[in-house]
Amino acid sequence: MQTHVSTTPFGRRPMTLGQISSQMAAKAVKPDAVAHKWQVFQDIREARELLGATDRSLAILNALLTFHPETTLSGDAELIVWPSNEQLAARANGMPATTLRRHIAVLVECGLVIRRDSPNGKRFARKSRGGEVEQAYGFDLSPLVARAQELHDLAEAVHAERKAFRVAKESLTLLRRDIVKLIDTGIEEGVPGNWGKILLDYQAIITRLPRSAPRQLVEAISADLSVLYADIREALETFTKTQNPDANESHSGRHIQNSNPDLHTESEYSLRKKEEAGGTAAETDNVQSLPKRELPLGIVLDACPGVRDLAQGGEIRHWRDFLAATELARPMLGISSSAWLEAREALGEQHAAITLAAIYQRADQIGSPGGYLRSLTDRAKNGKFSTWPMIMALLRAKLDAQKASDDLGQRRSDSAVEGDGRLQASEALLKNLKRSRER
């Protein structure tokens, strides 16, 4: 007959208040409480991060459950199992003894099992002549019954969080796709608006998104993108209302043909915070390896207006005009044919031309255009360079310069107005002028 139930661990293992709390919960379990051991194990597996359990500790728990013969765990049954370390390691896929002991301690700390150690620390059961267990020393599984509902609620919370995270990521993906395509539409269709600034605003929001972001940050970025999307959509819809409705492609009106049939807009590069079009190639290291997306011609020309001066008639309507203009820029920058050929092979003809146009735009800040192009070519071969951040840096510099110029003009205007009110001749000066006239 069992006279005392062990509540402290054997040897040097310390006793904690958490273990006492687990024992109190197990002691308070109702006799009629029932739990399906594999359903409880499934809930623990789902909520293991919240519980602090590890994959190895769950492997041990799974092995412990196999030593209990019944599928259901009831509050009035004896739920102590007493496998040896050798038996437990065998059912835990041959786990080493040191690893086994370490992760058993994790289960105890998580409050999933309770140690019922014998006086000498061995695990065994004393049975009566009839074969019934009178006293057992080992691992008590009663916390699984006592915490069955709690573990189920934790698993449901994990499921809800995963679903919310999945929905947030889907919303973010759709917003990114819609915004990029709507910006391209506005540029290609000639809709009035500062599309370069809008694109920079979009990229500024996206740069806040790290490679691995929590749900709260994803939702916050989605909220900012939703505001930007609403503004873009409103601008496009307002412009559409002013146009002839017969201009729809399905009717016999005018047909708008894309000047770049190879344009792909399914993903975009992330904008870096540093300018890449400066004089050092080291600023192009932090380029994310995302699927390639072509830049719209309108954005490139807005960032590199200097290349228009090289075009025939000063006008660039298609990519072929742009490529022809950059061919004239190459010898003017002193870039050798071999460097240009290598850049075209690494970047492709179109992206090499965009890179050359950006270098031409900042030629006064680049000491060696040929060496700079070769450096960018080498980085492109290693997947560390793209034209997107370079063009975005030029657009940002252009907008900053315009803002600074407007602020300076406003200050000069204010100073002139204030000066008109203060410049008055003194009485002494007027008297001297009058005397000089009389003489």
Side-chain angles (χ1 to χ4, degrees), residues 248-274:
N248 191 293
E249 292 181 2
S250 61
H251 297 154
S252 58
R254 64 183 180 89
H255 175 67
I256 301 174
Q257 183 175 357
N258 189 352
S259 61
N260 181 16
D262 296 329
L263 186 65
H264 300 286
T265 59
E266 296 178 359
S267 60
E268 62 281 340
Y269 283 104
S270 175
L271 174 67
R272 294 193 53 210
K273 294 182 179 179
K274 295 182 180 179

Side-chain angles (χ1 to χ4, degrees), residues 153-208:
D153 293 341
L154 289 176
E156 290 295 324
V158 170
H159 280 299
E161 175 64 22
R162 288 176 181 172
K163 181 178 179 181
F165 197 12
R166 183 172 62 252
V167 171
K169 290 193 294 185
E170 289 175 355
S171 177
L172 178 63
T173 300
L174 292 175
L175 282 168
R176 293 179 67 175
R177 184 186 70 191
D178 290 347
I179 288 175
V180 171
K181 289 195 174 184
L182 289 179
I183 290 175
D184 288 348
T185 300
I187 295 172
E188 296 297 331
E189 299 286 353
V191 178
N194 193 347
W195 296 107
K197 183 180 182 304
I198 293 175
L199 186 57
L200 284 177
D201 292 341
Y202 164 74
Q203 294 286 359
I205 296 173
I206 292 301
T207 52
R208 292 161 43 199

